[in-house]
Amino acid sequence: MKKILGLIFILVLFLSGCTDEGTLKIVSNSTEDVWYQVNFGTTKWLLPADSISYSWNLSTSIFGEEDKKVTVTYGGGEGFLEDSYQVVKTVKPGKITTVEIIEDR
């Protein structure tokens, strides 16, 4: 009986899955300061050649993995033709997804 309960416990753990960190890295490849927002949140600034990372705990199981859609809005000064740009990225568990901010000129 103990063996059966042990096997059921292991099966439940296996089916329930785990969580793993999914990371979004924002990199400024601009020659000037740039601003950005993650999911239309607070406006923050990046210096030239600087980067910042955001992480989410995402679940994985035998039935698939959770992913997260993230919207990054960004802009800068004279090196950008438009006032702002927007990109949607999918963050997956155990992976690093990168958004590179590059000037238009």
Side-chain angles (χ1 to χ4, degrees):
M1 183 66 159
K2 288 183 181 179
K3 289 182 181 179
I4 292 174
L5 288 175
L7 289 174
I8 290 173
F9 179 72
I10 290 172
L11 181 64
V12 168
L13 282 177
F14 181 71
L15 290 176
S16 65
C18 324
T19 60
D20 203 356
E21 212 170 66
T23 304
L24 173 72
K25 184 175 183 180
I26 302 173
V27 180
S28 173
N29 289 326
S30 174
T31 58
E32 58 187 83
D33 294 355
V34 294
W35 61 267
Y36 72 93
Q37 296 174 330
V38 176
N39 289 334
F40 308 103
T42 306
T43 300
K44 297 183 180 179
W45 290 84
L46 276 177
L47 299 173
D50 202 4
S51 67
I52 191 162
S53 295
Y54 293 88
S55 296
W56 293 270
N57 286 324
L58 304 171
S59 64
T60 59
S61 72
I62 192 170
F63 302 110
E65 60 185 24
E66 176 185 13
D67 58 21
K68 180 164 184 71
K69 299 277 187 208
V70 180
T71 303
V72 178
T73 308
Y74 64 90
E78 296 176 5
F80 295 88
L81 297 176
E82 302 290 327
D83 290 334
S84 67
Y85 298 85
Q86 195 173 82
V87 63
V88 177
K89 292 286 188 167
T90 302
V91 178
K92 295 188 177 276
K95 308 271 187 214
I96 298 174
T97 304
T98 304
V99 174
E100 290 190 51
I101 300 175
I102 302 171
E103 295 173 322
D104 294 322
R105 59 178 164 147

